[in-house]
Amino acid sequence: MEAIGFNAHSGFLEGIIRGYKAGLLTTQHYNSMTQCETLEDLKLQLSGTDYGNFLADEAPPIATSAFAERATDKLVDEFNYLRSNATGSLAKFLDYMTYGYMIDNVILLVTGTLHERDTHELLERCHPLGTFDTMPALCVATNVEELYNSVLVETPLAPYFRGCLSAQDLDELNIEIIRNTLYKAYLEDFNDFCQSLGSPTSDVMSLILSFEADRRTLNITVNSIGTGLSKEQRAKLFPKLGRLYPEGNNILARADDIDQVKSVVENIPEYRDFFSGPNHDLSEDDNGNSAAEGLEEHFFRHEVYLNKLAFMQQFQYGVFASYVRLKEQEVRNLTWIAECIAQNARDRLGDIVHIF
């Protein structure tokens, strides 16, 4: 692996990462935040952390959405600083990290084009980590044919579109199939690149990307049971990597109910609890049950566990991906706490995924 991929000495870079890790909120921070009575109290509590005065420009009363938006802005600024100083294979690695966000942004623009919405307005809803210089050019498209041709020419996603989709595929019925098809190609490509970097980056990223592939495989299976998606189509959407691949994927492709999914998951020790335990959905049904939300909760917890492991390895690129993922969980935690305070749901304040 290329040991130096930064416009400074690697020791300086490792110092940045150690500083970022130290900036992650701890259990002690969260315990203090759960004592807050108002959003102003939460803002004051956060001022004593790495977030500082990140809400200084928000006029009272503070909206709950401001916590997520400003915290995300801070993460994006940190990532862009790293990306602007990275060189060589590290620069390419950081680029790969943005492709997933690009896929979501392009899908958003495709959906807007299909519904004849003003795609310029949709640009404001795009994730900032998935923006690229030529993205405004996509808004010039007036139909999906033009948008498809623009994506092939103007974006880093061109190889994924060219390899598995045509302009005729871009219709409303296929939109989630398109998203999952692109993610499949992206994950397999990113994994190949990480393997080419060698150990320890390949070891760390293999765990992270394998889990991401399995998570997508399980979500696709659960969400497609009882729908019009054929089992052949379902199988084509599964990434060809992960703990479930290939035997588990073959069974999941034919699964007709959740019990069959559970039987596959139980063969992977660290996945066995994924279909058990409480959920944490604020919009739960009358019985307090939400299988999808409960599954997502387990996904988040396992993702945090895997990404914490990256900080225990010697210097390698995986720590950058892990830092972004852990900060995203931190943003979800802040948003949850803010919503609970705003809705006076104080008994739910502790229902977050602690990181350190």
Side-chain angles (χ1 to χ4, degrees), residues 56-269:
D57 295 332
E58 297 294 327
I62 303 174
T64 55
S65 59
F67 288 86
E69 292 169 1
R70 300 290 82 77
T72 298
D73 289 343
K74 185 176 184 299
L75 170 59
V76 171
D77 288 343
E78 291 170 348
F79 180 88
N80 287 338
Y81 171 75
L82 289 172
R83 177 62 189 86
S84 64
N85 285 280
T87 60
S89 56
L90 175 57
K92 189 173 182 180
F93 180 90
L94 295 177
D95 285 343
Y96 265 108
M97 286 175 56
T98 67
Y99 292 169
Y101 303 98
M102 288 185 190
I103 290 173
D104 288 335
N105 287 349
V106 169
I107 291 297
L108 178 63
L109 296 177
V110 169
T111 305
T113 302
L114 287 169
H115 289 275
E116 298 183 349
R117 294 181 57 182
D118 183 354
T119 49
H120 290 85
E121 294 181 5
L122 294 177
L123 282 177
E124 297 181 2
R125 294 175 51 194
C126 288
H127 197 290
L129 284 182
T131 60
F132 42 90
D133 292 340
T134 56
M135 197 162 83
L138 301 184
C139 297
V140 177
T142 58
N143 55 60
V144 292
E145 181 80 33
E146 292 179 5
L147 183 60
Y148 177 82
N149 291 330
S150 296
V151 169
L152 282 182
V153 175
E154 303 291 346
T155 81
L157 304 179
Y160 307 142
F161 271 86
R162 188 182 301 114
C164 46
L165 293 168
S166 68
Q168 288 70 40
D169 293 320
L170 302 187
D171 62 58
E172 189 170 359
L173 293 176
N174 287 333
I175 200 68
E176 284 306 310
I177 293 177
I178 295 167
R179 187 197 306 274
N180 286 309
T181 299
L182 293 173
Y183 261 103
K184 173 183 183 295
Y186 160 59
L187 285 175
E188 292 172 356
D189 187 31
F190 193 9
N191 184 63
D192 288 344
F193 173 71
C194 290
Q195 294 307 306
S196 74
L197 296 174
S199 182
T201 293
S202 58
D203 300 331
V204 171
M205 289 306 297
S206 179
L207 289 174
I208 293 171
L209 294 177
S210 288
F211 172 66
E212 180 59 28
D214 288 343
R215 170 162 57 180
R216 300 197 71 82
T217 295
L218 289 170
N219 273 328
I220 291 168
T221 303
V222 170
N223 293 329
S224 64
I225 290 176
T227 69
L229 186 70
S230 72
K231 294 176 181 178
E232 291 75 17
Q233 288 176 310
R234 184 196 297 174
K236 291 180 180 178
L237 300 178
F238 294 165
K240 294 181 179 179
L241 66 143
R243 296 292 307 281
L244 295 170
Y245 177 77
E247 291 85 358
N249 284 16
N250 292 335
I251 300 173
L252 291 172
R254 302 188 301 272
D256 294 312
D257 55 52
I258 296 298
D259 286 337
Q260 289 175 287
V261 179
K262 290 181 180 179
S263 67
V264 174
V265 171
E266 286 174 355
N267 292 320
I268 310 296

